[in-house]
Each structure stands twice: as structure tokens, then as C-alpha cells.
Amino acid sequence: MKEFTIGKNESGQRLDKYLKKLLPGAKSSFLYKMLRKKNIVRNGKRADGSEKLLEGDVLRCYFSDETFSKFAQSSDLSFYRSLPKDRLDIIYEDEDILLINKPAGMLSQKARADDISANEYLIAYLLSGGKFEEADFAAFRPAVCNRLDRNTSGILTAGKTLKGLQDLSEMLKNRTVKKYYRCVVNGNMNEVDNIKGWLKKDEKTNQVTIFSEERPDSKYIETAYQPLRCENDRTLLEVHLITGRSHQIRAHLASIGHPIIGDMKYGNRDVNEKCRKQYGIRSQMLHAYRMEFPDGSICTAPLPEEFERIFDEIDR
């Protein structure tokens, strides 16, 4: 018999979903059968799986250690303990969430099984500080909530607890968080503007195309910007991402003739090469700079130093 007491990170979710995380190798039909036969009980009573778990609930699984081990997820965390504990630049942390200033070059989440992303560094950090216990790992994993392209820097949000994940996910889904980026684009831009269009993504090439009119399978996009600094045929913009589509800022600005410097997919190859040689620019100059939350709180992530260097060294 195995016994589990529901903690803060597990409360609020359905019993059947919790069991699926606890025993990922078991089929749903098996879990529901165990519930019907009272081989899995909640607080000593029969449950059907639809119940919302509460902190302090006690679950008992009446099957052998061999059966449990067969279906259970390994809780060996040696991989995470082996990772560097200081790879994350944490700009805000409370009981439920973390805000991270991600550098260009770091993945937000795994793209392949052997990748190491901000997600893995997050778990390594929480384990090293005693903020997450091995016993919690089977049913809950802290995780990054929003994504940034590998070569985009700036604010990543992450949930340390189930409540944190749920709150952040709801705000991001409902767009109640305002997201502002800063980028350096090719060309002189002197006017504040709000541009609109439709975006269509080719999943095979992982590239998007912008249209001025709606097309089949396209999605509406809206991007607002204001210039902050304009010198020698390049402009520092602050961009308000009103809709959040894949590659939206990069492709939308390129479509109006002002590609982001360093962007190898949508940018100007000659300009990118010149900036690489002169200023050491090796990634797209796009940074998730500021988030404004519904409660009025604001978080900013300092700009990478190349954002200053590309302007300060123009005339040198």
C-alpha cells in the first residue's frame, strides 16, 4: 500500500489528472477500474476521479510495490542536481512564481530530448535551494509559462507551484499581462505607429509570412511601436506585443522594411554581417523588456550590453 498526502502544489487539480501524473505508465481504464474497486481511495472513501483535490487529502493505493513501480515515473533527480545552479538571472521571486532574464542562446523549453533549457535550470535551482522536494516531483514539476525564441533575450515567467503556474497561464491566455519588447532595427523610424495584418506559419520551415489581408489559415496580428533612439540608419524601438503569434515582431517589422538587426531568418544578410564584424552582434537584437501585470506591478529585464554598444560605437 502507498499513501500520499496532498500538498499545496497538488491541491486544486482533479483526482484523475493527479493519478495520471503519479502513474504515467498506467492506462486511464486501469486507473478508473482501481477507483471503482476501491483499490485507490480518497480520505478512506470511494472516489470516481472527478473530485477536486484539497490540501491535506490522503490518497491510498492498495496494490503491490511491484505494480506501483511498474506504472510510476522515476523520481531520480540526479540529472538536475548535476546541472549548474546559477545559470538563471532571477529578477523576481516569490512563493509561487519566478521571473527570469533569459540570455540569447538559451532555450525556453526543450526542443529535443537531450536539450537543456531554462526549464531544467529552473528545477536545478529550486532543488539546490531546498525550495522543491524530490517527493513532489512525481505529481508536479515547476515550469516556464511563456516562450521566447532561443535567440531572443528577456523576461521568462515560471511557476514554482501549481497555483503559480495556473495564475500565470490564465493571465497569458487572457492577455491581461501587457508585454513590451525592445529591439534594434535597420533604417530610420521616427513615428509612433500601430501596424496590423495577418500571419501564416509554415510548420515545415518554421517560418511565417505576413499578409495585408486575411488568407486561409492566417491569424490576425497587431503590433504597436514607438522609436526611442534613431541614429545612423538604425532605430531602437519599444514594441507593444498586442497579439502574440509565432515570430510576430520579427516578421511584422521586416514586412514594413525594418528588419531586426541580427535576425538570420527575416533580417538583412548584409547588415547582419556588417554588425557582426563591427559590433560583435551574434543574435537577433530583440529583448522581452517589460511586463505589466493586472495588479499594477511592473517587471523589467535590463537590456543586454550590445544594445548600447551598437549605438555608442557607431562613430568610433
Side-chain angles (χ1 to χ4, degrees):
M1 189 268 288
K2 297 284 187 181
E3 181 175 295
F4 303 91
T5 301
I6 299 303
K8 180 178 65 174
N9 284 337
E10 295 85 35
S11 65
Q13 57 185 316
R14 283 173 54 117
L15 171 57
D16 51 4
K17 291 187 176 181
Y18 171 86
L19 291 172
K20 193 61 184 172
K21 293 176 184 176
L22 186 67
L23 300 166
K27 292 182 178 180
S28 295
S29 58
F30 171 81
L31 295 175
Y32 288 123
K33 180 180 179 181
M34 293 298 100
L35 287 165
R36 288 195 306 272
K37 297 182 71 171
K38 293 185 67 174
N39 286 332
I40 301 175
V41 296
R42 174 192 180 216
N43 298 330
K45 299 179 181 179
R46 176 179 285 156
D48 64 17
S50 65
E51 297 84 356
K52 287 287 184 71
L53 294 174
L54 301 174
E55 188 171 357
D57 281 352
V58 176
L59 302 181
R60 293 189 178 94
C61 301
Y62 293 100
F63 25 88
S64 68
D65 290 345
E66 181 180 1
T67 300
F68 189 89
S69 297
K70 175 183 175 182
F71 295 127
Q73 177 171 280
S74 171
S75 59
D76 179 13
L77 301 183
S78 58
F79 166 72
Y80 297 98
R81 297 189 191 282
S82 72
L83 296 177
K85 313 303 186 292
D86 57 355
R87 285 298 307 274
L88 300 181
D89 178 8
I90 297 167
I91 51 181
Y92 175 81
E93 181 175 4
D94 63 23
E95 186 177 350
D96 297 307
I97 70 169
L98 274 170
L99 300 180
I100 301 159
N101 186 9
K102 184 188 85 69
M106 180 184 287
L107 286 167
S108 300
Q109 299 176 358
K110 283 179 179 251
R112 300 178 304 189
D114 58 348
D115 285 336
I116 300 177
S117 70
N119 255 339
E120 285 66 56
Y121 292 125
L122 169 66
I123 294 172
Y125 165 76
L126 294 174
L127 284 171
S128 69
K131 302 175 183 181
F132 188 66
E133 300 297 332
E134 187 164 346
D136 301 326
F137 198 68
F140 171 78
R141 296 191 186 195
V144 166
C145 292
N146 64 311
R147 291 195 182 198
L148 297 175
D149 294 335
R150 181 198 287 264
N151 290 318
T152 298
S153 57
I155 300 175
L156 273 183
T157 62
K160 295 168 58 177
T161 65
L162 180 63
K163 179 182 184 300
L165 276 175
Q166 290 174 335
D167 288 349
L168 286 170
S169 296
E170 183 177 2
M171 285 186 283
L172 291 165
K173 179 181 178 181
N174 296 333
R175 298 178 187 168
T176 55
V177 177
K178 293 182 179 179
K179 295 185 283 187
Y180 296 86
Y181 289 68
R182 292 196 175 178
C183 60
V184 179
V185 299
N186 189 45
N188 296 321
M189 301 179 72
N190 299 302
E191 303 293 332
V192 174
D193 205 349
N194 184 322
I195 53 177
K196 303 172 184 180
W198 279 263
L199 176 151
K200 185 174 181 179
K201 184 175 182 180
D202 185 329
E203 297 293 344
K204 292 182 179 179
T205 62
N206 192 33
Q207 191 156 345
V208 305
T209 304
I210 306 297
F211 301 98
S212 59
E213 297 179 349
E214 187 174 7
R215 300 288 182 92
D217 299 321
S218 65
K219 296 179 179 179
Y220 175 76
I221 58 172
E222 188 171 353
T223 311
Y225 63 81
Q226 62 173 329
L228 302 177
R229 187 173 180 180
C230 185
E231 298 176 27
N232 289 28
D233 205 34
R234 65 200 55 164
T235 305
L236 174 65
L237 293 179
E238 177 158 286
V239 177
H240 179 196
L241 187 62
I242 298 173
T243 57
R245 309 296 186 191
S246 180
H247 300 181
Q248 178 180 323
I249 295 175
R250 298 162 59 192
H252 214 178
L253 291 173
S255 75
I256 62 170
H258 296 284
I260 293 173
I261 289 175
D263 188 342
M264 301 307 293
K265 183 165 286 189
Y266 303 102
N268 182 301
R269 188 171 298 178
D270 292 337
V271 171
N272 289 345
E273 181 62 17
K274 178 181 177 181
C275 290
R276 184 189 68 80
K277 290 179 178 179
Q278 288 188 312
Y279 314 117
I281 305 302
R282 298 185 181 278
S283 61
Q284 59 209 25
M285 301 196 71
L286 177 62
H287 180 78
Y289 179 70
R290 186 171 79 253
M291 282 189 172
E292 298 180 359
F293 293 89
D295 64 0
S297 60
I298 298 173
C299 178
T300 60
L303 288 169
E305 58 90 20
E306 56 260 33
F307 276 68
E308 288 294 326
R309 189 172 70 239
I310 198 169
F311 288 101
D312 293 344
E313 295 186 2
I314 283 175
D315 298 322
R316 295 181 186 177

